[in-house]
């Protein structure tokens, strides 16, 4: 597809006085104008134009092609000139390719995030940043609890029961494992929310990960041989994007819960005939069976979220959500 000129773009995307151009669209205008500006159409200018159009499409969401600015097909013309290849139904905007030299501790979006709208994409950096912070804080606090009595010891007892050196060492080791997965390796995230269709973007797709109650999953190291072992691989389902930022059952906590399954071999422990989900059941498990509490995923999540509540002072009450979806495929879901 031929790249439109700046004048063609402005003419075909212009609407009446009652339909002013947004700042994001104006950014596309400016980038296209700069691209054609002498002395040359440099790769830097092309990248800036791609980023500007990508930002506008992401803002508009999956329905960007029905925007009034595309009434004459001009936006599609620019898009296909910048991003050759077919436009996939329900796709919002492309995501940057994963670099050949990824940075440990950084996260990268898999191609399926092209189906995610702006709100869903914005959840990812918040979730990863919060999960990394909470695991870091929880590990240091539990190290304090191991040395003696006090508030941190009380917090440990709330979620893991009577103090025992061997059990608290297990908890610390598991937190360290999660820390390493988030801080010392790059993370790839796959979107399994709304509108995902077509072929998988994972070389070791575990199956259908799009039911309404699916929170997330990760491959247990080592990941399948078809995947790059340098990465931590996380899948995020529809239910993840309904989680809050604060309180319990938050987006950061979901990441932690899911990684304890994958990295530490935790389970959704059955006690008194019930899977141990939610604050009440986790606290009861800590009292009745501390040996099982250290193997229960929600117990780690709530331990970490305890510090979230203290650090960020959220408004509202904590939630006791229904059981998180579970499948058994060497892949450890929530």
């Amino acid at each position: 597809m031929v790249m439109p000129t700046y004048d063609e773009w402005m003419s075909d995307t212009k609407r009446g006085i009652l339909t002013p151009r947004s700042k994001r669209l104006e950014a596309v205008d400016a980038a296209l104008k700069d691209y054609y500006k002498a002395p040359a159409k440099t790769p830097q200018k092309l990248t800036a134009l791609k980023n500007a159009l990508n930002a506008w499409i992401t803002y508009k969401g999956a329905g960007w092609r029905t925007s009034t600015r595309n009434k004459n097909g001009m936006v599609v013309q620019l898009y296909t000139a910048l991003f050759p290849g077919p436009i996939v139904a329900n796709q919002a905007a492309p995501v940057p390719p994963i670099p050949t030299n990824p940075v440990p501790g950084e996260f990268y979006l898999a191609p399926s995030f092209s189906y995610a709208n702006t709100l869903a994409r914005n959840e990812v950096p918040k979730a990863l940043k919060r999960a990394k912070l909470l695991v870091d804080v929880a590990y240091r606090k539990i190290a304090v609890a191991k040395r003696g009595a006090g508030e941190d010891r009380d917090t440990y007892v709330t979620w893991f029961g009577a103090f025992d050196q061997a059990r608290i060492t297990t908890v610390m080791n598991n937190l360290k494992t999660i820390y390493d997965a988030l801080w010392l390796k790059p993370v790839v995230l796959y979107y399994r929310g709304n509108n995902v269709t077509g072929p998988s973007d994972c070389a070791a797709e575990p199956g259908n990960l799009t039911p309404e109650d699916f929170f997330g999953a990760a491959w247990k190291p080592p990941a399948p041989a078809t995947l790059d072992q340098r990465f931590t691989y996380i899948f995020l389902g529809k239910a993840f994007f309904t989680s809050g930022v604060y309180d319990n059952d938050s987006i950061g906590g979901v990441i932690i819960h899911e990684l304890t399954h994958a990295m530490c071999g935790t389970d959704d422990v059955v006690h008194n005939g019930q899977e141990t989900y939610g604050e009440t059941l986790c606290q009861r498990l800590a009292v009745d069976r501390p040996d099982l509490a250290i193997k229960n995923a929600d117990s780690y999540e709530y331990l970490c979220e305890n510090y979230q509540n203290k650090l960020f002072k959220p408004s509202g009450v904590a939630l006791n959500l229904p059981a998180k979806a579970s499948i058994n495929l060497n892949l450890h879901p929530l």
Side-chain angles (χ1 to χ4, degrees):
M1 180 70 70
V2 177
M3 179 89 76
T5 66
Y6 173 74
D7 290 338
E8 289 171 339
W9 167 262
M10 295 301 295
S11 175
D12 266 27
T13 59
K14 183 178 180 180
R15 297 297 175 261
I17 192 172
L18 298 179
T19 311
R21 302 174 83 84
S22 68
K23 290 184 178 180
R24 289 179 179 83
L25 186 62
E26 288 178 344
V28 179
D29 302 340
L32 183 60
K33 185 175 184 179
D34 188 56
Y35 175 74
Y36 280 112
K37 188 177 180 179
K41 304 180 184 72
T42 64
Q44 292 81 7
K45 291 182 178 181
L46 184 63
T47 298
L49 178 56
K50 288 181 177 180
N51 290 341
L53 183 61
N54 196 355
W56 180 84
I57 290 174
T58 301
Y59 170 70
K60 299 297 289 186
W64 65 272
R65 288 179 296 281
T66 62
S67 167
T68 184
R69 305 297 176 183
N70 193 45
K71 183 178 180 180
N72 299 322
M74 180 53 64
V75 179
V76 167
Q77 181 179 340
L78 179 59
Y79 177 92
T80 51
L82 294 174
F83 304 102
I87 299 176
V88 180
N90 297 320
Q91 182 172 308
V95 296
I98 298 172
T100 55
N101 295 306
V103 179
E106 291 295 320
F107 74 90
Y108 302 95
L109 301 181
S112 50
F113 262 90
S114 64
Y115 295 99
N117 61 23
T118 303
L119 292 176
R121 289 195 191 195
N122 287 345
E123 293 292 270
V124 174
K126 290 188 292 185
L128 267 293
K129 181 178 180 180
R130 184 61 54 82
K132 290 167 70 175
L133 171 65
L134 294 181
V135 170
D136 180 40
V137 171
Y139 180 83
R140 290 187 284 108
K141 292 290 188 179
I142 296 305
V144 173
K146 188 176 182 180
R147 294 196 296 268
E151 183 180 1
D152 295 310
R153 176 73 69 87
D154 294 340
T155 299
Y156 168 84
V157 170
T158 297
W159 301 112
F160 295 107
F163 180 78
D164 175 87
Q165 284 286 350
R167 287 197 293 266
I168 198 171
T169 297
T170 296
V171 172
M172 288 187 66
N173 289 341
N174 285 341
L175 290 172
K176 178 62 165 56
T177 297
I178 301 308
Y179 178 96
D180 290 349
L182 292 174
W183 285 94
L184 303 184
K185 296 180 72 173
V187 178
V188 177
L189 296 119
Y190 294 87
Y191 180 71
R192 294 298 180 266
N194 293 322
N195 300 321
V196 177
T197 60
S200 167
D201 61 343
C202 179
E205 179 64 40
N208 178 23
L209 300 182
T210 57
E212 295 295 329
D213 61 349
F214 179 75
F215 278 77
W219 284 112
K220 182 178 181 179
T226 51
L227 299 178
D228 188 333
Q229 301 299 317
R230 293 177 297 171
F231 292 91
T232 295
Y233 292 93
I234 299 175
F235 298 81
L236 299 177
K238 291 182 180 180
F240 171 84
F241 298 101
T242 66
S243 302
V245 178
Y246 298 112
D247 296 313
N248 289 348
D249 300 296
S250 66
I251 54 177
V254 165
I255 295 290
I256 293 167
H257 178 123
E258 179 267 322
L259 286 176
T260 68
H261 277 315
M263 309 296 176
C264 309
T266 63
D267 203 349
D268 303 316
V269 171
V270 176
H271 178 54
N272 292 336
Q274 291 181 286
E275 290 186 320
T276 309
Y277 293 112
E279 292 178 83
T280 301
L281 293 182
C282 285
Q283 291 176 14
R284 185 178 302 162
L285 182 68
V287 173
D288 295 347
R289 294 292 304 272
D291 59 315
L292 294 181
I294 64 173
K295 301 176 182 178
N296 186 57
D298 250 15
S299 300
Y300 287 89
E301 177 180 338
Y302 290 142
L303 169 75
C304 294
E305 289 175 330
N306 171 83
Y307 296 108
Q308 173 171 257
N309 296 343
K310 292 178 182 298
L311 288 170
F312 299 99
K313 298 178 180 178
S315 59
V317 297
L319 302 175
N320 283 294
L321 296 183
K324 303 175 176 84
S326 181
I327 48 179
N328 183 14
L329 279 170
N330 251 347
L331 176 86
H332 295 275
L334 297 177

